[in-house]
Amino acid sequence: MSAPPSAPLPVPSRPRPAARLHALQAALRRAGVDAALIGAGADLFYFSGLDLPLTRRLVLLTVPAHGEPVLVLPHFEAKGAEVADVRLHRVADGEDAMASVLAALPAGPDLAVAAAGDLPARVLLEVDRRASVHRWLDAGEFTGPLRLIKDTAELAALADAAVRADAAISEALAAGVAGHSERDVALRIESRLRAGGFDPASVTTLVAAAAHAADLRHRMSAEPIAAGVPVLVDVTARRHGYYADVSRTVHTGAPSGEVAAAFRCVRQVLDEALASIRPGTAAADVEQRALAAFAAAGLGGHVKHRIGHGVGLELHEGPQLEAGSDTLLAEGMVFSLQPGVYVDGCFGVRTEAVAVVTRTGCRLLNDVAAEPGVMA
């Protein structure tokens, strides 16, 4: 298992979108699709470098298969929004914001448009009414494959987020766990994440002790955490557009019995997953190998979720490490590995770290280990 980076890597504030836009246009042409419509969200950040909120006012990037992409923005969002090879149209209140979108679409009776799944229905209905779209497609069919392989800047951003999240968790837990409430420990972690430069609105933390850790939808308690129990910590947070997704389970005192066996099983599953991952590995095979390892340890009935999922501009994106996936892993793909054992009414143990497929195998971006950290 490769060691994680020892220090945060430099992170560019914005990606370089021109090559990404050209790749999207080429994909549209190959499929005979006339244009893609992208609203505020992860795809807009990927193709423009702009991180804009979803509002009632129109924010829409129109990417024609041929010609110049057009970005429509409210006039007050347009400062600093210039994007190479994209025509920017600033819209004032009362102006026909859709006119420049329609102008970027080719005329004809067979218009085919790919729309992002998170676009508001009112936007799609207006385009359909005014442009007489003949065929609608899911833009994710074109943007998703492009986003699967992370470039150098994306890998740097993901590594930076992972290292900072690890540090925030370690610093917060060092102040003690037993005798503190789940809510207090979570607030301690969240404070350090915000101080580490993560987007405050993106920070979510779960702290679940003992039997609570077996409930994936647990609401944190204000009661003190007892000694001699496992404590599961799960953190997601976004920095420079990219997510950290980390889980670790610590123990207030040394674990024994079933809990110790669960820690050993989780470590074994993580190690086997890491050993199996390399370019060309089927994503489904990683899941199947994990399930087999859980079953061999006698814990197959205590697995509640897949072994992993893609992480990047979104917390859950491709590739999916699950039995139904037809994805073959490739260098530059990034995903979580999250083996977990959950015994209802008793305890839960999970570790989660972000991994990247390398030319010869797999590398963890987090320093999270599956062995129990013994905490006070």
Side-chain angles (χ1 to χ4, degrees), residues 134-193:
H134 175 71
R135 182 165 58 109
W136 285 101
L137 299 92
D138 180 1
E141 297 177 13
F142 305 96
T143 63
L146 294 176
R147 285 174 48 189
L148 268 178
I149 306 298
K150 273 46 177 184
D151 62 25
T152 302
E154 291 182 289
L155 293 176
L158 285 159
D160 179 81
V163 169
R164 290 174 182 270
D166 286 345
I169 295 170
S170 296
E171 291 166 8
L173 294 181
V177 176
H180 303 266
S181 75
E182 294 168 343
R183 292 178 185 173
D184 287 343
V185 175
L187 288 172
R188 201 188 300 159
I189 295 170
E190 290 173 1
S191 175
R192 283 165 173 78
L193 288 168

Side-chain angles (χ1 to χ4, degrees), residues 95-134:
E95 184 180 349
D96 183 1
M98 191 61 71
S100 57
V101 174
L102 300 173
L105 299 176
D110 298 321
L111 181 63
V113 177
D118 54 2
L119 277 173
R122 58 183 171 79
V123 172
L124 301 179
L125 289 170
E126 186 175 357
V127 173
D128 191 65
R129 178 178 62 85
R130 296 176 62 176
S132 299
V133 177
H134 175 71

Side-chain angles (χ1 to χ4, degrees), residues 10-21 41-52 61 80-86 147 149-157 238-242 313:
V11 180
S13 59
R14 290 173 60 174
R16 298 175 181 175
R20 296 175 179 179
L21 284 167
D43 277 343
L44 183 65
F45 185 93
Y46 183 80
F47 290 105
S48 72
L50 301 176
D51 190 9
L52 300 175
L61 174 62
E82 290 76 15
V83 180
D85 297 340
V86 174
R147 285 174 48 189
I149 306 298
K150 273 46 177 184
D151 62 25
T152 302
E154 291 182 289
L155 293 176
R238 180 174 176 262
R239 188 172 189 276
H240 290 294
Y242 288 84
L313 288 169

